[in-house]
Amino acid sequence: MRPLHRLLVGFSLALLTLTLLVGTISAFAFLFPEASNRSIPFYMLRPMHVSAALFWIITGAVSGILIYLPKVYPFAQPSPRVERSFVLLWLSTIGVIFTAYAFKKFGGREYWAFPPWLGIPLLVAWVCLLVVYFRAWRSRSDSPLYVWMWTTGVVAFLATFLEQNLYHIPWFRMSFLRELTVQWKSNGAMVGAWNQMIYGTALFLMVRISGDEKLAKSRSAFFFYFLGLTNLMFNWGHHIYNLPTNHWIRHIAYAITMTEWILLVNIIRGFRAKLASDRKYHYQLPYRFLAASEYWVLANLVLALFMSIPAINRYTHGTHITVAHAMGATIGINTMILLASFGYALKIDRLGSALRKNIAKYFVLVQVFLVIFWLALISAGVLKAWRETVLGMNSFDEIMRPVRVVLYLFAIAGVGLFFSMLPIIRAYWLALKQLGQGAKNVSHNTIQQPMEEQPN
Amino acid sequence: MRAFLLFLCLACAAFTGFVYTSEGPRTEAAPSPAALAGIQLWQDKNCQSCHQLYGLGGYMGPDLTNVARKGDQYMSSFLKSGTERMPNFQLSESEIERICAFLHWVDQSGSARVSADAVHWTGSYIIKP
Ligand code: HEM
């Protein structure tokens, strides 16, 4: 792996660690605001946590694309200078963003809470990435599906990023409903954009692990790609069902989101085949993360489909069920796929057996804590929905009193998640270090013979 | 496949144009300069990390879409000195006025809660003005 890519992977792993650390602290700051307001207030922790999470996912997704691109396009003209510009600009801007948070400088928009001028270097960096990507892309015409997905992801990210900043044009602020609608149109579609990048990587890995190129060429795979793309473009309205906007925005989002039932049915139909392949590739650690992500897709899809029926959304909107959906998907699906991707790129299957056993053990613990974490958030949300919408309580403090008790369980599960994820991250770090020393030190005693064909 | 992709992109562009220019069932008033300054303060102080508008935002404090109905004095008392849970942002009188103007503008745009009779048999809503 090239040093620049090792830097990207190392930085992404650091972001994951920061996400977990700050998330855990935020959960306690939420429960004990009196104490935290005197030291690190929640309004500083939350943007740090959420930005670290989103940058972990986006940087992790891009790392995968940049690492695998030369394998898909072996004859492409490399663009090392532009690539280096992307990496340095992207990483240093993220550094500045966290420094701004530490000095309580905010842009105060949901998920992208940094001062808006920092969007400019991020934008320039992304354009550099597009240059690198499309230079490689030009060199081959028969693209497998994962390339379509990567392309969709990097382009849609740019479009949604620009749309997120339209509010600087005064006209967009002349109506509060328009301001909020456009903000959530872009936020919603941006999630679709990084999912295209990440699912593209998941498909790439499945093809590599199974050696079956047909997976990325089949008609049904393309059908689900178009289903995903249609949802990326038209389903974001489910975030803002309760806004008194034009009715069509709501109806279209509802209708389009419901097409995802087809995906659910397809997952259930393919379950037997999935179990068989789970058994077949079980000995490969990266595969286990991929397999776990598929279970989390199933769980989160069921939750998301119900939340996206406006009549049910009336109860769930604005409760911790939304947080369960957000973290369930970003941890269960996105983080698991990225850990599979990094595990594959870092060749974790070649680590010493003690480390591999450790990863396997903590992998199970992560899943257990994540289930508790996710169920606790859903329970907190159901309780709030019950008290607020069914019982019609008005006092916020009264509504939240029992909800906070459930959130203790969430916070404790979060601590468990943090401490069970750390040993996995540590093992990845060691693998990264060994790759760095690789050429110099092939005979290092923790490196074993490869068990399978691996990328180089 | 490429034709279908092109079709989707064109449909998305048309839909985007519709979303930007469409209006809801009620006509909204343009914001006063004070309300515009208030939205900026709302962002600079990162109020949305703890509060929601239309159910969107953080979960520590209450939704503030319609808090303006409780009056300026009520809002100011929180903004002046904070509470045990809400920090004191050391806001000046004029900053508090601007935030209140912003919250009034938000309140006039609609209600955060959808009433049960707005639910349509299809499961969607028809929100009346
Ligand atoms: C890889 C790990 C994680 C990722 C990717 C992640 C991602 C996210 C995202 C996307 C949100 C925004 C949710 C929303 O607004 O609906 C969020 C919020 C939050 N997360 Fe995490 N998270 C992670 C781990 C954790 C852990 C271990 C904890 C510890 C308990 C935690 C605690 C929180 C809290 C307290 C919030 C704020 C919820 C609120 O506003 O009340 N997170 N996280």
Side-chain angles (χ1 to χ4, degrees):
Chain A
M1 196 190 285
R2 287 173 40 201
L4 195 67
H5 295 164
R6 286 208 304 275
L7 175 65
L8 264 179
V9 171
F11 192 84
S12 305
L13 288 173
L15 283 173
L16 172 61
T17 315
L18 188 70
T19 308
L20 288 158
L21 175 69
V22 182
T24 309
I25 302 173
S26 324
F28 287 95
F30 186 103
L31 292 168
F32 306 103
E34 300 87 341
S36 80
N37 281 343
R38 272 180 263 120
S39 44
I40 323 179
F42 185 75
Y43 67 87
M44 200 164 124
L45 290 166
R46 188 177 193 270
M48 277 193 178
H49 172 60
V50 177
S51 291
L54 299 196
F55 281 124
W56 143 245
I57 288 165
I58 297 163
T59 313
V62 171
S63 308
I65 296 179
L66 288 177
I67 293 169
Y68 305 132
L69 210 53
K71 297 182 204 325
V72 183
Y73 295 111
F75 306 112
Q77 272 267 308
S79 341
R81 282 232 304 271
V82 194
E83 193 171 341
R84 204 175 320 127
S85 310
F86 160 72
V87 173
L88 297 182
L89 205 52
W90 186 258
L91 303 197
S92 52
T93 309
I94 293 175
V96 177
I97 285 173
F98 285 102
T99 315
Y101 288 154
F103 286 97
K104 299 190 180 166
K105 296 275 174 253
F106 304 108
R109 314 231 347 137
E110 185 70 342
Y111 301 149
W112 295 92
F114 49 80
W117 64 270
L118 286 165
I120 299 169
L122 289 181
L123 179 67
V124 176
W126 202 264
V127 172
C128 293
L129 175 71
L130 289 179
V131 170
V132 176
Y133 184 82
F134 281 104
R135 269 208 198 149
W137 184 78
R138 265 193 331 204
S139 69
R140 189 175 149 178
S141 58
D142 63 325
S143 300
L145 180 56
Y146 46 82
V147 171
W148 282 61
M149 297 169 85
W150 288 339
T151 312
T152 308
V154 291
V155 173
F157 184 87
L158 178 71
T160 55
F161 191 83
L162 291 173
E163 194 175 43
Q164 258 166 0
N165 284 285
L166 284 179
Y167 75 97
H168 295 295
I169 301 170
W171 180 77
F172 281 92
R173 278 224 159 140
M174 288 298 111
S175 146
F176 185 68
L177 296 179
R178 176 163 56 227
E179 145 78 294
L180 217 52
T181 304
V182 176
Q183 187 178 344
W184 284 90
K185 177 177 186 297
S186 51
N187 278 354
M190 186 179 268
V191 175
W194 77 59
N195 277 334
Q196 288 282 345
M197 292 190 256
I198 290 179
Y199 291 152
T201 296
L203 181 61
F204 172 83
L205 292 176
M206 267 322 290
V207 168
R208 283 288 168 133
I209 289 173
S210 67
D212 182 5
E213 270 289 338
K214 284 205 293 288
L215 286 176
K217 298 258 161 86
S218 75
R219 281 175 81 95
S220 83
F222 270 92
F223 171 80
F224 285 105
Y225 160 74
F226 278 113
L227 189 71
L229 184 59
T230 310
N231 272 277
L232 182 162
M233 290 171 168
F234 301 103
N235 82 3
W236 50 268
H238 54 219
H239 295 282
I240 52 160
Y241 280 148
N242 63 336
L243 255 68
T245 53
N246 188 296
H247 300 313
W248 282 106
I249 295 180
R250 188 175 315 113
H251 302 330
I252 288 175
Y254 178 32
I256 296 287
T257 309
M258 291 303 113
T259 59
E260 297 261 4
W261 286 101
I262 307 173
L263 181 60
L264 183 67
V265 170
N266 189 58
I267 292 174
I268 293 170
R269 273 184 45 200
F271 220 73
R272 208 177 266 203
K274 174 180 157 43
L275 290 179
S277 89
D278 281 4
R279 274 194 296 275
K280 188 165 161 200
Y281 303 114
H282 184 72
Y283 66 93
Q284 295 190 42
L285 285 172
Y287 182 83
R288 281 191 219 179
F289 287 97
L290 268 191
S293 81
E294 288 170 12
Y295 288 101
W296 284 107
V297 167
L298 183 65
N300 281 296
L301 190 59
V302 172
L303 182 67
L305 280 167
F306 281 110
M307 286 164 69
S308 298
I309 299 170
I312 294 176
N313 187 271
R314 204 176 140 254
Y315 296 91
T316 64
H317 187 70
T319 72
H320 278 85
I321 295 180
T322 310
V323 188
H325 164 63
M327 283 206 267
T330 50
I331 307 174
I333 307 173
N334 297 337
T335 300
M336 290 308 144
I337 294 178
L338 290 177
L339 287 176
S341 165
F342 281 9
Y344 181 77
L346 295 174
K347 307 173 185 179
I348 52 166
D349 278 333
R350 293 193 204 175
L351 285 168
S353 73
L355 276 175
R356 275 188 287 135
K357 275 201 188 120
N358 231 14
I359 294 178
K361 184 172 83 190
Y362 284 102
F363 165 82
V364 176
L365 273 181
V366 164
Q367 307 309 323
V368 171
F369 281 119
L370 189 53
V371 169
I372 303 173
F373 184 87
W374 191 70
L375 291 177
L377 284 170
I378 294 178
S379 315
V382 169
L383 204 55
K384 183 177 180 216
W386 174 258
R387 294 169 75 79
E388 190 174 34
T389 310
V390 181
L391 302 182
M393 289 182 179
N394 280 321
S395 154
F396 180 73
D397 197 46
E398 197 188 333
I399 293 171
M400 289 302 283
R401 222 171 287 143
V403 176
R404 284 193 200 107
V405 178
V406 182
L407 291 177
Y408 282 107
L409 179 63
F410 154 72
I412 293 166
V415 174
L417 191 58
F418 177 37
F419 283 105
S420 46
M421 202 79 107
L422 273 187
I424 298 178
I425 300 175
R426 180 176 159 269
Y428 278 48
W429 262 112
L430 293 177
L432 185 68
K433 247 173 67 187
Q434 288 185 2
L435 274 190
Q437 294 164 346
K440 280 181 265 164
N441 206 3
V442 195
S443 61
H444 193 287
N445 57 6
T446 54
I447 297 188
Q448 297 183 335
Q449 281 304 307
M451 305 191 303
E452 265 282 23
E453 186 252 302
Q454 289 268 349
N456 35 52
Chain B
M1 232 140 36
R2 272 157 222 264
F4 189 59
L5 189 61
L6 185 67
F7 165 75
L8 268 185
C9 291
L10 290 176
C12 182
F15 184 53
T16 302
F18 165 72
V19 170
Y20 288 0
T21 53
S22 69
E23 286 191 6
R26 92 162 62 190
T27 33
E28 274 184 277
S32 64
L36 281 178
I39 195 172
Q40 195 55 49
L41 279 163
W42 173 269
Q43 290 187 179
D44 291 346
K45 304 293 173 195
N46 211 14
C47 308
Q48 56 82 37
S49 61
C50 295
H51 289 291
Q52 305 174 339
L53 294 174
Y54 284 103
L56 302 162
Y59 301 80
M60 196 201 278
D63 186 300
L64 298 182
T65 315
N66 304 114
V67 70
R69 293 178 195 172
K70 297 186 184 171
D72 284 0
Q73 222 169 4
Y74 181 85
M75 291 191 282
S76 308
S77 62
F78 285 88
L79 293 171
K80 252 183 213 137
S81 40
T83 66
E84 268 195 337
R85 297 175 162 273
M86 172 166 152
N88 179 352
F89 288 92
Q90 319 283 351
L91 298 165
S92 70
E93 281 294 331
S94 67
E95 285 177 321
I96 292 178
E97 270 169 34
R98 287 179 212 146
I99 291 181
C100 289
F102 165 60
L103 290 172
H104 276 289
W105 181 51
V106 174
D107 175 42
Q108 281 152 17
S109 71
S111 167
R113 305 216 51 82
V114 179
S115 68
D117 58 2
V119 178
H120 193 247
W121 65 267
T122 53
S124 194
Y125 304 144
I126 307 285
I127 299 177
K128 298 183 188 76

